Amino acid sequence: MSSSQRQRRRVRRLALPAAMLLLVGGAVTIQSTAPAAAAETTLRAAAAKAGLFFGTASSPNRLYPILAQEFGQLTPENDMKPDRIATSSGGLQNTSGADQLVNHAQSNNMVVRGHTLVWHSQAGALQGASQSTLNTFIGNAINRWGSKIAYWDVVNESLEDNNTGRRRNQWPHTMNRDANGDGDYFDAGDTDVIRDSFIRAKQVVQAGGYSTKLCINDYDVEGLTVKGGGPNRKANALYDIVRTYRQYIDCVGFQSHFNDNPNSIISDDLQANIQRFADLGVEVHLSEVDIDDDLSNNDIGAGQAENYRKVVRACLNVAKCTGITVWGISDSESWRSSERGLLFTGGNGNYQKKSAYYAVLDELNKGRGTTTPPPTTTPPPTTPPPTTPPPTTPPPTTPPPTTPPPTTPPPTTPPPATGCTATVSLNSWTGGFVATVRVTAGSSPISGWNVQLTLPSGAAVTSVWNANRTGTSGSVQFSNVNYNGSVNAGQYTEFGFQGTGAASGLTPVCTAS
Ligand code: 9MR
């Protein structure tokens, strides 16, 4: 018996008693309350009910009915890549496949993710192009489809393999220059193709009045840790990029190609990693999911269906995880067909649902937040948490009490320190800056915070994330938003703002509630 036959039998076994129960319930009580909302029967509908999209990658020759039935979002698997549509001067050519996909999505009310503008691979005629030519291409591509594209992957796969945490040492990143040699490309005098491509993309979106959101997309960035528990430096590097360029970046794609590569694991801290990006204020998508059906070497080596459940649940538990895209419909048509990593078998539109499909549908139908979300704050990657030195002397042993304990606390016990402190780090350039403010709770938990700081004359706030704001220049107040007011003792959360002018010597004053 095939797995899908087994699955159908299982569904029939479950369906019969449920129907009997309904009949019995109807017989014994006329005033029965309405039955619980029926579970949705497609991935698309179940995801929509939970407030996210569930999509897939496709091509013009695979626009079968099942596509729009099961999926609410579409990514052109290959038809929008520069090697298909870019000329060497940054113009457009051969857009018919991409147009067909966009039109199909439009007529079926599907969200489109454009994939992709700046990428070292499949660059075609753009290979080796200057930033100025890339900018021309970015403008032409964004303008061609405007708001029909809800999300654009502006920069794809900019970070090196093997968990080094470095940018790729190949075009277009070879255009980068670290002017002051401090090891990053974030300084005013540096050249950074990521920053410059996003700045251009943002300008085009704003000038056109489009609703398009701009994403950075990469793989092996899913967990906080890699196999063995070490830090995921690639994820940390991506985090630093998003934090630094937050004003231009709206969304982050974790590709989520899970396989036996030690950096491609499904780790228990996937949700925490999604959450820390979400805490920067960006949307997070699992943008190219496939899960090897034999993860025997993986940290979570459960069956494929269970692994899919974990991945979908991690997204559902983070409100700003707003979409999941599987990288194709059927195993046989996948770029990694030998790993059988998708939700269907079969081909040419005649597809059969796998156990993994039913697991995903079931998890989506449970909706968001059915498990306790982790704390909304996780430490940023570049600052390792302080390590507690091991005690040098054994702790004193408490002798058994010989007298009854006092009924009032001794007067010398100091009251617990409460409140919060705030520190600012600045990333400045000529005429502007981004400030990241860290709010740290004292030795008691806090449930809300307020940070006041005074900007130097000539400086003004233009945008803020992860906080509410009162004032623009001079004395400015920031307070928590609904998801980051609660901070545990000794923990911190961060918010940020962008401004014009120069900001230096800021001394934030934190008060807690
Ligand atoms: O699935 C795509 C496959 O058909 C192409 O041959 C391949 C060429 O590089 O690209 C595949 O899609 C990739 C995506 O664009 C970026 N992330 C990794 C995907 C799988 O390789």
Side-chain angles (χ1 to χ4, degrees), residues 77-78 81 115-116 119 121-122 156-157 217 219 255 257 288 327 334-335:
E77 184 169 358
N78 288 300
K81 291 174 177 173
H115 178 78
T116 177
W119 189 21
S121 178
Q122 289 187 275
N156 192 39
E157 301 178 2
N217 196 47
Y219 59 89
Q255 290 187 6
H257 293 294
E288 303 183 12
W327 203 240
S334 160
W335 71 298

Side-chain angles (χ1 to χ4, degrees), residues 64 66 330 332-333 344-352:
Y64 304 111
I66 192 175
S330 172
S332 68
E333 294 164 353
F344 292 81
T345 57
N348 301 320
N350 180 18
Y351 302 126
Q352 292 85 47

Side-chain angles (χ1 to χ4, degrees), residues 3 256-260 266 288-296 302-308 326-346 352-357 360:
S3 66
S256 308
H257 293 294
F258 294 111
N259 52 61
D260 279 338
I266 303 168
E288 303 183 12
V289 181
D290 44 35
I291 305 181
D292 185 347
D293 75 347
D294 173 22
L295 286 182
S296 50
Q304 186 182 45
E306 283 310 301
N307 282 329
Y308 258 105
V326 283
W327 203 240
I329 299 183
S330 172
D331 288 344
S332 68
E333 294 164 353
S334 160
W335 71 298
R336 277 189 173 159
S337 55
S338 63
E339 293 180 357
R340 299 170 300 271
L342 295 174
L343 302 179
F344 292 81
T345 57
Q352 292 85 47
K353 296 167 181 171
K354 295 167 56 180
S355 304
Y357 170 93
V360 170

Side-chain angles (χ1 to χ4, degrees), residues 250-292:
D250 306 307
C251 38
V252 176
F254 291 4
Q255 290 187 6
S256 308
H257 293 294
F258 294 111
N259 52 61
D260 279 338
N261 177 316
N263 303 315
S264 302
I265 64 167
I266 303 168
S267 57
D268 281 324
D269 48 34
L270 170 63
Q271 184 180 328
N273 195 33
I274 296 173
Q275 185 71 59
R276 74 167 168 161
F277 279 84
D279 286 345
L280 292 175
V282 291
E283 290 181 47
V284 183
H285 302 137
L286 307 184
S287 56
E288 303 183 12
V289 181
D290 44 35
I291 305 181
D292 185 347

Side-chain angles (χ1 to χ4, degrees), residues 38 59 69 139 177 187 210 270 309 397 424 444 487-488 493 499:
S59 308
Q69 285 158 10
R177 293 284 170 264
D187 304 297
Y210 307 134
L270 170 63
R309 231 180 236 289
T397 54
V424 184
S444 298
V487 185
N488 281 334
T493 187

Side-chain angles (χ1 to χ4, degrees), residues 415-497:
T418 55
C420 56
T421 52
T423 51
V424 184
S425 59
L426 278 179
N427 179 19
S428 302
W429 59 91
T430 310
F433 62 91
V434 165
T436 303
V437 184
R438 179 177 295 188
V439 175
T440 306
S443 57
S444 298
I446 59 174
S447 55
W449 46 262
N450 187 289
V451 171
Q452 183 278 334
L453 46 80
T454 304
L455 291 172
S457 105
V461 179
T462 52
S463 64
V464 62
W465 49 97
N466 291 341
N468 297 311
R469 170 176 57 107
T470 311
T472 302
S473 56
S475 177
V476 186
Q477 307 263 353
F478 300 89
S479 59
N480 63 277
V481 285
N482 59 4
Y483 55 82
N484 65 3
S486 295
V487 185
N488 281 334
Q491 300 293 300
Y492 59 81
T493 187
E494 289 185 335
F495 71 90
F497 60 94

Side-chain angles (χ1 to χ4, degrees), residues 10-11 58-59 178 202 275 327 333 349 386 391 398-399 406 421 431-432 449 487 491 500 506-507 511:
R10 198 174 70 80
V11 170
S58 194
S59 308
D178 176 12
K202 199 54 139 186
Q275 185 71 59
W327 203 240
E333 294 164 353
T398 315
T421 52
W449 46 262
V487 185
Q491 300 293 300
T500 51
L506 298 176
T507 46
T511 47

